[in-house]
Amino acid sequence: MEKSFFKRVQIAGLFIISFLGGMVHMALHSHFAEGKIFGWAESLMNALKVEGATLKSVADAARLPELEMMSGGMMYVAVLWFALLALPAILPLLTEGRAWRWVTAIVGLVMTLGGIFDAISHMTMPGQVPIGLSGLIIGSIPGVIAVVFAFGWARAGE
């Protein structure tokens, strides 16, 4: 019983880390995308390097860009995405039922694969490599490990 509980907590913990990685990825996506903060930092550095730069030219470059809010439809997608990311993190803590083990493993697999594909797609876009790397490193690596453990837990004959 104690070993089974530890396995459930381990799976849930890894999925929680993956969920938090998804939150970091979304924060970077929302606030640091190309033309936003990364572009702002680059233009500020360029303004500081210009010979004969004036305080006004640097102050103009230092003005933070306005950030776009998500569209209504995208907000619904984000809420659904994070609800599905949270499901495999919560289920192992709530139940040990065999059917729920499989739900945990399958939903975890689908969401982890979705995160990997999203991160790779960001890495192919100019200026979004940090966003893609954050998704791969913080979200996908713990997610892959959690999926492996979840399928082992689902197949276990306990």
Side-chain angles (χ1 to χ4, degrees):
M1 179 67 175
E2 195 173 301
K3 185 178 179 182
S4 173
F5 179 73
F6 176 74
K7 178 64 87 177
R8 290 169 48 200
V9 170
Q10 186 179 38
I11 292 166
L14 286 164
F15 277 125
I16 289 169
I17 293 169
S18 180
F19 174 82
L20 294 174
M23 297 293 279
V24 168
H25 175 78
M26 183 57 88
L28 285 173
H29 191 282
S30 298
H31 300 292
F32 295 98
E34 179 185 9
K36 302 294 183 210
I37 300 299
F38 291 142
W40 170 81
E42 182 179 3
S43 66
L44 178 59
M45 293 304 293
N46 288 335
L48 291 170
K49 288 191 258 181
V50 171
E51 189 174 325
T54 64
L55 185 57
K56 181 178 177 357
S57 67
V58 173
D60 287 341
R63 189 166 305 141
L64 286 170
E66 292 183 24
L67 298 174
E68 299 172 6
M69 295 302 293
M70 269 192 223
S71 69
M74 189 61 177
M75 182 60 86
Y76 288 122
V77 170
V79 168
L80 176 63
W81 183 264
F82 284 111
L84 288 173
L85 269 178
L87 189 64
I90 295 169
L91 280 177
L93 299 175
L94 298 178
T95 182
E96 198 172 334
R98 190 152 181 80
W100 292 113
R101 293 177 188 191
W102 284 104
V103 169
T104 299
I106 292 168
V107 171
L109 174 66
V110 169
M111 298 312 295
T112 299
L113 288 175
I116 290 169
F117 290 132
D118 179 60
I120 290 171
S121 72
H122 281 293
M123 291 177 67
T124 64
M125 296 178 207
Q128 293 193 15
V129 171
I131 297 169
L133 284 175
S134 75
L136 278 177
I137 294 169
I138 303 171
S140 298
I141 292 172
V144 168
I145 297 167
V147 165
V148 170
F149 287 166
F151 272 102
W153 179 54
R155 287 193 313 258
E158 301 174 339

